[in-house]
Amino acid sequence: AELQIELPRRTVVSGQLVAERGPVPLRGGEVLRIRDAGGQVAFVTADAEGRFRCPEPLSPGWANVRVVAGGFVFQRSVELEVDVRLEEIAANELELGVIAPAIVRGRLVDDAGAPVVGAAIVRTKPIPDGDKFTDAANALDLSSMGNQFMQLFVSDRDELLATTAKDGSFELVGVKRGPSLLRMTQRGRGSVFRLVMTEPSTQQDLGEMTMPKGRRMRGQVMRGARPVAGATVSAMDTGTRAQAQTVTDGNGNWVLDDLAPGDYRVRARLPTQPAGSPPRTVRVGDGQALADLRIVLESGRTVAGSVLGRNGQPLSGAAIAVRGGRGTTTVSADDGTFLVELPVRSVELQVTAPDRSVSSVVAVPATRDRIDIRLDTPPVCTIKARLAGLPGRSRLPSARLRFVPMVGDEEGDARTCWTETADGELQWRHCPAGPVRIEIWCDGHAPFSLRRDLTADDVHDLGEILLEPGARLLGRVVGSDGNPVDNAIVMLGEESDLESFEAGVRTAADGTFALQGVCSRARKVLVRSPGHASKAIELTLPDDVLAPEPLVIRLERGSTIEVAVARQARGSGYVHLRRAGLLVAIAEIDDQGKAWFANRSAGTYTVNVVGTDEGARPVTVSAELPRVVVSLP
């Protein structure tokens, strides 16, 4: 077959640096780095009037501009970098407002007052502590747990800001507004400092700062009587929340050097034991090595099993977790099988269907090493399709699927899931059988909908499905104070999609976004940002996509719904949250009999335990109530 590759139209980029307020020296020779949406990097040099031009065309979309050499920051972001939108036109002319940067000066000396030469000063990001990591595992939030676990191994948490000169002095240019965690390191020395910049274009002198001799912490990780190789050991400063980590060697030994004095929470983890060892608080301050800090991981047992549906069909993607404990969370494979590591004692497993609609608690005695679990799932079938996007029939890498059971013209509860495809080849084994409406959503395209009567346990091939490109919506997200909200998720769909799918479109530093795929069947825009109530707005078509100005979406402060469930009513272990009869979220009931739904917007909801419609309670949320408590009998 003929291979067709559709490339985006390239654009020539030029621009002007404009001094917005205060004296900003633009003498010429300032260097900017531009990284386009395709990852191409270009360096440009401004002339004496602040003009610059990229030597070669770039890809349209969001681009990042960073100051490499120049005594200024960008006015819009008040930082050394800013995101800009390159439109799909022949040439883009950028006007970048610049202001004088915030500057921090200081001098590092050792305990004797001598200058510390060549010390690295880096800005670091605190890693979530172990409790939050464990909470993610216990809540079956596998994506959150995975993201936090990966942070233990990435190196881009640290950004080098400066190194000290021969007299120990340093100068930090373009420090971000707000709090920053600075780590000063030199072989044999280490310290941590929390810096707060309240205003841009200000100068701050930290004076002379003592950099004490770094402390060493070392020990061994054991499992029973045997050392553990490859365990990750982390030590978090309880005051600054800065974290250091290392990996044990073949004998289970580990060493952490150049630690600043303070109290540290120390724990070890294995990939198969995300909860890890119980944390130990260790004080570092006397300069002595902690040679006998031994960390013991609980010696467990491996239990094999399988998860089956009502008719005995294997269930892939079912979640298996230790109920009320800090054990492993795992997911069943394509054939329904799983391996889970458990303590050497009797435990209960919480087993949940892939769509979280059905759950069961299964007891596992201390002597069992094999268990088969059957869930009372509704009849399902497998659907196959080949997904391609127009124009060009390009294969689509992922899809959001929505299944709506139909009884005549009446619709049942919709179920939404997200899946990756193999070069556009879709196969989903958990489609409800019977009359059902199937919707297929792919980023940047209008959704596709069809209605079929599907036979249980069969494989149904839907053939090739072509998704058309939708219209583009330009918008801007702001908070209740009118300030832009950056990094907010923006997507098309239903409110329940926010719980099961993370869209790729996010707002830029100025709150702007461009959302592709708008049509009459996809006209509801969803916005979610931490600390704000999720918002869903219905577009007015075609006015909103043709408007000369971006659509402004204002977010309000969110409320938390706390649901207390009586012991006899806990049943499946999950609570449904509905609005206007539609399912919008599912939360797990914890050991205290409570479930939480955070960042909820004003309105009326109902809550009920999964598996029963009895005892459903209404909940009214308003902006004046940050927390609403409701009890289920």
Side-chain angles (χ1 to χ4, degrees):
E2 181 182 357
L3 178 63
Q4 295 182 349
I5 301 176
E6 185 174 352
L7 298 176
R9 184 181 183 183
R10 307 279 279 177
T11 180
V12 176
V13 179
S14 58
Q16 173 78 54
L17 301 177
V18 180
E20 293 291 343
R21 62 175 185 267
V24 182
L26 294 176
R27 304 184 180 90
E30 292 83 8
V31 180
L32 305 178
R33 184 205 68 192
I34 305 177
R35 184 189 300 273
D36 69 8
Q40 180 177 344
V41 176
F43 292 90
V44 297
T45 302
D47 60 20
E49 285 74 36
R51 296 283 308 170
F52 62 87
R53 182 181 178 87
C54 194
E56 53 188 12
L58 300 177
S59 297
W62 287 105
N64 179 267
V65 183
R66 183 177 180 85
V67 181
V68 177
F72 59 84
V73 294
F74 294 106
Q75 186 268 337
R76 196 174 71 190
S77 62
V78 201
E79 296 180 11
L80 289 172
E81 60 184 41
V82 68
D83 291 327
V84 296
R85 176 78 184 180
L86 302 181
E87 300 296 337
E88 295 184 19
I89 55 179
N92 276 265
E93 177 73 20
L94 305 177
E95 184 174 293
L96 302 176
V98 298
I99 59 176
I103 299 177
V104 177
R105 298 184 179 90
R107 182 170 178 264
L108 292 183
V109 297
D110 60 18
D111 299 308
V116 178
V117 182
I121 302 174
V122 300
R123 177 169 48 221
T124 186
K125 298 177 183 177
I127 298 178
D129 62 20
D131 290 341
K132 293 182 180 179
F133 187 96
T134 303
D135 290 344
N138 290 340
L140 304 182
D141 186 356
L142 302 181
S143 61
S144 174
M145 181 180 67
N147 290 340
Q148 295 183 37
F149 189 73
M150 285 304 297
Q151 287 187 59
L152 297 175
F153 302 98
V154 297
S155 58
D156 58 358
R157 291 189 306 108
D158 294 343
E159 177 187 0
L160 179 64
L161 300 180
T163 55
T164 55
K166 293 182 178 180
D167 61 351
S169 63
F170 62 87
E171 182 178 87
L172 311 181
V173 179
V175 179
K176 295 181 179 181
R177 182 170 52 186
S180 296
L181 191 62
L182 303 182
R183 184 159 53 89
M184 293 81 160
T185 59
Q186 188 196 51
R187 182 170 295 276
R189 300 185 180 278
S191 63
V192 176
F193 179 74
R194 187 177 291 273
L195 174 68
V196 179
M197 296 298 294
T198 57
E199 295 294 336
S201 304
T202 59
Q203 299 191 17
Q204 185 173 342
D205 193 340
L206 302 179
E208 195 171 89
M209 305 171 64
T210 301
M211 189 175 179
K213 183 178 179 181
R215 273 52 174 178
R216 164 175 285 195
M217 187 187 301
R218 72 184 185 206
Q220 188 179 34
V221 176
M222 304 291 293
R223 192 172 189 182
R226 301 180 61 182
V228 178
T232 300
V233 180
S234 59
M236 185 186 71
D237 190 316
T238 58
T240 63
R241 304 188 75 81
Q243 189 158 331
Q245 63 276 328
T246 187
V247 177
T248 58
D249 62 16
N251 295 317
N253 297 318
W254 56 272
V255 177
L256 289 171
D257 279 319
D258 302 338
L259 298 177
D263 291 333
Y264 290 82
R265 291 182 65 191
V266 184
R267 70 169 29 170
R269 299 184 182 96
L270 284 171
T272 57
Q273 285 189 319
S277 64
R280 294 178 57 181
T281 300
V282 179
R283 170 156 293 184
V284 175
D286 56 8
Q288 297 179 355
L290 302 172
D292 297 325
L293 187 59
R294 178 170 295 190
I295 301 175
V296 179
L297 294 175
E298 184 177 1
S299 181
R301 56 187 171 118
T302 300
V303 175
S306 62
V307 183
L308 305 175
R310 174 188 297 176
N311 297 327
Q313 75 273 20
L315 285 184
S316 63
I320 301 99
V322 177
R323 184 172 172 83
R326 295 176 175 265
T328 301
T329 299
T330 190
V331 177
S332 59
D334 289 344
D335 59 356
T337 60
F338 65 89
L339 289 173
V340 62
E341 188 164 1
L342 302 177
V344 188
R345 55 180 172 82
S346 297
V347 297
E348 289 184 330
L349 292 181
Q350 179 95 39
V351 185
T352 309
D355 60 0
R356 304 295 189 262
S357 61
V358 180
S359 183
S360 178
V361 176
V362 181
V364 183
T367 56
R368 292 280 294 275
D369 59 5
R370 170 81 195 182
I371 184 169
D372 294 318
I373 302 164
R374 188 178 293 270
L375 295 178
D376 189 20
T377 57
V380 296
C381 63
T382 299
I383 59 171
K384 298 171 61 179
R386 291 167 295 284
L387 305 183
L390 295 175
R393 305 174 88 99
S394 58
R395 296 297 183 180
L396 300 176
S398 61
R400 191 180 355 147
L401 308 178
R402 179 177 291 113
F403 306 106
V404 184
M406 306 295 295
V407 181
D409 292 332
E410 298 293 326
E411 297 184 352
D413 283 345
R415 300 179 186 176
T416 302
C417 63
W418 178 88
T419 181
E420 293 182 345
T421 65
D423 192 26
E425 298 289 335
L426 167 69
Q427 180 168 316
W428 187 254
R429 297 184 175 89
H430 309 295
C431 179
V436 61
R437 188 177 80 247
I438 304 172
E439 296 179 4
I440 300 175
W441 297 62
C442 297
D443 275 354
H445 296 79
F448 181 88
S449 178
L450 75 162
R451 183 169 174 173
R452 292 288 179 88
D453 192 348
L454 303 176
T455 306
D457 302 325
D458 278 355
V459 178
H460 301 269
D461 193 340
L462 306 181
E464 184 179 41
I465 295 177
L466 298 177
L467 285 89
E468 300 177 357
R472 186 175 67 165
L473 173 71
L474 299 180
R476 183 168 177 263
V477 179
V478 299
S480 57
D481 55 2
N483 292 324
V485 177
D486 66 336
N487 207 37
I489 293 175
V490 185
M491 59 186 289
L492 296 165
E494 297 296 334
E495 192 172 359
S496 58
D497 295 346
L498 289 170
E499 303 295 326
S500 58
F501 175 76
E502 183 143 320
V505 177
R506 292 178 179 266
T507 57
D510 60 352
T512 58
F513 66 87
L515 187 62
Q516 191 81 25
V518 178
C519 67
S520 58
R521 297 193 307 273
R523 59 195 304 169
K524 184 178 289 186
V525 178
L526 309 173
V527 183
R528 181 176 67 183
S529 179
H532 299 85
S534 301
K535 189 160 190 175
I537 64 169
E538 195 87 15
L539 296 177
T540 301
L541 298 180
D543 297 355
D544 286 336
V545 295
L546 298 178
E549 297 295 330
L551 176 68
V552 177
I553 301 176
R554 187 178 296 271
L555 301 182
E556 304 294 338
R557 186 183 67 176
S559 300
T560 296
I561 301 174
E562 178 183 323
V563 183
V565 184
R567 181 176 297 277
Q568 65 273 15
R570 294 176 189 176
S572 65
Y574 288 86
V575 173
H576 275 168
L577 179 71
R578 299 174 187 270
R579 190 209 293 259
L582 298 177
L583 179 66
V584 296
I586 302 175
E588 185 184 15
I589 303 171
D590 66 13
D591 292 339
Q592 305 301 316
K594 294 183 178 181
W596 283 271
F597 300 93
N599 296 327
R600 293 296 145 186
S601 57
T604 300
Y605 302 81
T606 60
V607 292
N608 68 278
V609 176
V610 174
T612 176
D613 292 328
E614 299 179 2
R617 290 292 180 88
V619 183
T620 300
V621 174
S622 65
E624 293 75 25
L625 296 175
R627 181 168 170 266
V628 181
V629 180
V630 62
S631 298
L632 290 177

